[in-house]
Amino acid sequence: MTTTSGLEVHGLNAGYPGRAVVKDAELAVQAGQVASIVGPNGCGKSTLLRAVARLHRPDSGTVRADGADIWHLSRRQAARRIALLPQTPRAPEAVTVAGLVRYGRHPHQGLLRQWSRADELAVREALEATGTQDLAAERLDRLSGGQRQRCWLAMALAQHTPVVLLDEPTSALDLGHVVDVLELVREVAASGRTVVMVQHDLAAAARYSDTVIAMKDGRIIAQGSPRDTVDEALVKELYALDADILRAPGDASPVVVPRSRTVL
């Protein structure tokens, strides 16, 4: 399960005092791929993502991003390899969209390296990639939810990391904006980056991901292509739900049709 680039996690255990949350996690996602972590509430998805992002120190195990062990790097060095968009990001009051996206360049700044033309180019490219260039002068808090989410994604892209982590990037969005964001995620991966996101919508994860990583009770119980991984047995094990699995027209991705709740 070794990759020369992308993201690798080996033997990762993480939790809080007296409570193990992530147990012996093993995963690998190649550069240019999208992986979705799915599973019931409280199964450890966000804790795993935070440990990968170096925001939560694991009890044991390794995380390698683009070939480097992130826990052997400085915080700034790690931030040049992994960008995280949390579930509920917060911005300074009255910040403009351009101001927000510029924050993505902070890991590249330092005493001997101030704002440069390369930084300005990275910001412009991120705004263009997310279709937010016309919003650059607008205040973030005056935009719609879908617009704000694209702006946050622009900030993550401006960080110019080979690995991008997204914690429920489509939560609270309507269906149209969900599709916009997920198609943008596919474009980010097509540029050669590795994208790992936490997803509650199993059907969306199956449609837009190369790999599905299923978690239950802190453990990864299945991972692989959506067609090979998402089936009736997995849905029942994850969600205690009986469901039919249909195939979407065009790409034959799995579509989950719930039937009834399983009596436990």
Side-chain angles (χ1 to χ4, degrees):
M1 196 180 70
T2 300
T3 60
T4 56
S5 60
L7 178 70
E8 302 174 35
V9 175
H10 298 290
L12 189 75
N13 291 275
Y16 304 93
R19 183 165 67 98
V21 178
V22 177
K23 308 163 189 175
D24 297 319
E26 297 271 344
L27 64 91
V29 185
Q30 296 282 354
Q33 290 193 337
V34 176
S36 286
I37 305 172
V38 301
N41 292 338
C43 71
K45 300 186 298 294
S46 292
T47 300
L48 172 59
L49 211 66
R50 287 175 58 81
V52 170
R54 235 188 87 122
L55 296 180
H56 183 96
R57 181 174 286 277
D59 300 315
S60 61
T62 60
V63 177
R64 302 185 70 85
D66 203 32
D69 187 332
I70 65 163
W71 287 101
H72 289 168
L73 303 175
S74 69
R75 185 176 295 274
R76 186 179 295 273
Q77 289 172 330
R80 293 173 183 169
R81 292 180 178 271
I82 295 181
L84 169 67
L85 179 57
Q87 186 176 346
T88 54
R90 296 186 179 184
E93 186 176 355
V95 69
T96 65
V97 170
L100 175 74
V101 178
R102 288 191 184 103
Y103 280 115
R105 299 303 298 167
H106 279 193
H108 301 274
Q109 306 301 307
L111 291 176
L112 301 179
R113 188 189 185 285
Q114 301 301 312
W115 191 262
S116 67
R117 292 182 64 182
D119 295 315
E120 199 62 47
L121 177 61
V123 169
R124 185 167 69 247
E125 289 177 344
L127 290 168
E128 291 174 352
T130 54
T132 54
Q133 63 269 38
D134 292 339
L135 302 173
E138 299 290 332
R139 280 178 46 169
L140 185 72
D141 57 8
R142 294 178 178 173
L143 302 179
S144 70
Q147 289 173 320
R148 285 197 302 271
Q149 194 69 336
R150 285 190 288 128
C151 295
W152 283 110
L153 279 168
M155 186 195 73
L157 296 185
Q159 200 168 324
H160 265 201
T161 58
V163 178
V164 179
L165 309 177
L166 308 172
D167 195 353
E168 297 187 38
T170 58
S171 62
L173 297 183
D174 63 44
L175 182 58
H177 286 119
V178 166
V179 172
D180 288 342
V181 168
L182 292 178
E183 288 184 346
L184 175 57
V185 166
R186 291 298 325 175
E187 292 173 8
V188 172
S191 72
R193 302 189 193 190
T194 303
V195 182
V196 180
M197 59 181 174
V198 169
Q199 263 287 353
H200 271 301
D201 187 336
L202 184 57
R207 186 69 181 262
Y208 289 93
S209 304
D210 301 292
T211 300
V212 170
I213 302 165
M215 290 188 69
K216 181 182 180 183
D217 297 331
R219 297 186 182 277
I220 295 175
I221 63 170
Q223 59 183 306
S225 71
R227 294 184 190 182
D228 296 334
T229 306
V230 178
D231 58 18
E232 290 89 343
L234 181 68
V235 174
K236 189 168 187 175
E237 184 171 4
L238 290 179
Y239 306 109
L241 187 68
D242 291 318
D244 295 314
I245 305 298
L246 308 181
R247 297 294 169 179
D251 64 359
S253 60
V255 177
V256 180
V257 181
R259 292 200 312 267
S260 62
R261 188 77 164 169
T262 301
V263 178
L264 299 178

